[in-house]
Amino acid sequence: MLGLNSADISEIFTVSFALFAVIDMLGSIPVLLSLKKRMGEISAVQATLVSGILMLLFFFIGEQVLNFMGLDIHSFAIAGSIVVFILGLEMVLGLEIFRAEKDNKSGNVVPIAFPLIAGSGTLTTVMSLKATYHAYNILIAIFINLIFVYITLRSLNLLERALGPSGILVVRKFFGVILLAIAVKMFRGNIGF
């Protein structure tokens, strides 16, 4: 049963840091700025809520949902790695594969909420943390990370002004290569299963 007596600061810190590293909002800033340029404004509230709902769903029923659809975690991770790879290609080559929809709100869900924020790595991590840490501490860590996600999304205009056009271009190309490497690592790590 979940309760305040289950809260453990060191567990919360450890799980929060693990999720922070996997979500990698700081590394996603160039991708988000690129998507913002095409979509117009990004709804921080919608993207954060959808990401949070996905994380909570996978926390509570992730494996059952994937099993019900006849999928395993590795197939899910491979699919997410392909989407991340395409985003990396866009950034490095200056291509536009994810076209802006007429309804800009859909961009807040795909590719921002999924797979950038609540991607296969995040969702897999959320499910696997249950084996080691208490559920209450994981839920607190998810909430802490969602606050950071929201603050980052709300600060995109400030970050864009601080970097300037040439800074955004340099950071975008650099993190595009990083995204490609992450996608290849995710793909390679799951292809043998």
Side-chain angles (χ1 to χ4, degrees), residues 29-30 32-38 40-42 152-169:
I29 288 171
L32 293 167
L33 289 173
S34 174
L35 291 169
K36 180 182 166 290
K37 185 177 179 182
R38 287 184 303 204
E41 285 304 309
I42 292 173
T152 304
L153 291 173
R154 289 287 297 177
S155 304
L156 284 178
N157 289 331
L158 176 68
L159 293 166
E160 188 173 27
R161 283 193 300 274
L163 289 172
S166 58
I168 290 170
L169 184 64

Side-chain angles (χ1 to χ4, degrees), residues 66 72-82 119-125 127 181-193:
L66 289 178
D72 59 40
I73 217 78
H74 301 291
S75 300
F76 184 75
I78 290 169
S81 73
I82 292 169
S120 59
T122 303
L123 300 178
T124 304
T125 301
M127 288 190 302
I182 289 170
V184 168
K185 181 179 179 184
M186 284 171 55
F187 186 85
R188 196 176 62 194
N190 289 283
I191 197 70
F193 293 93

Side-chain angles (χ1 to χ4, degrees), residues 26-189:
L26 297 177
S28 297
I29 288 171
V31 182
L32 293 167
L33 289 173
S34 174
L35 291 169
K36 180 182 166 290
K37 185 177 179 182
R38 287 184 303 204
M39 290 172 42
E41 285 304 309
I42 292 173
S43 171
V45 172
Q46 184 182 21
T48 304
L49 282 176
V50 171
S51 302
I53 289 168
L54 285 171
M55 285 187 234
L56 291 175
L57 277 174
F58 267 75
F59 176 77
F60 289 111
I61 59 169
E63 286 185 68
Q64 294 88 339
V65 170
L66 289 178
N67 290 337
F68 178 74
M69 293 187 293
L71 300 171
D72 59 40
I73 217 78
H74 301 291
S75 300
F76 184 75
I78 290 169
S81 73
I82 292 169
V83 174
V84 171
F85 187 84
I86 292 169
L87 286 169
L89 277 180
E90 279 189 331
M91 292 171 66
V92 172
L93 302 176
L95 301 172
E96 185 178 345
I97 298 168
F98 284 110
R99 304 239 182 261
E101 302 289 332
K102 290 182 181 176
D103 175 20
N104 284 343
K105 292 182 180 177
S106 65
N108 291 310
V109 177
V110 176
I112 295 174
F114 178 82
L116 281 181
I117 299 168
S120 59
T122 303
L123 300 178
T124 304
T125 301
V126 165
M127 288 190 302
S128 63
L129 286 169
K130 288 171 42 175
T132 309
Y133 299 101
H134 194 279
Y136 193 73
N137 297 324
I138 299 169
L139 292 173
I140 293 171
I142 289 171
F143 181 71
I144 290 168
N145 274 276
L146 288 174
I147 292 170
F148 185 75
V149 164
Y150 176 78
I151 291 169
T152 304
L153 291 173
R154 289 287 297 177
S155 304
L156 284 178
N157 289 331
L158 176 68
L159 293 166
E160 188 173 27
R161 283 193 300 274
L163 289 172
S166 58
I168 290 170
L169 184 64
V170 169
V171 170
R172 183 174 188 235
K173 301 284 184 193
F174 174 75
F175 278 102
V177 173
I178 299 296
L179 268 186
L180 288 171
I182 289 170
V184 168
K185 181 179 179 184
M186 284 171 55
F187 186 85
R188 196 176 62 194

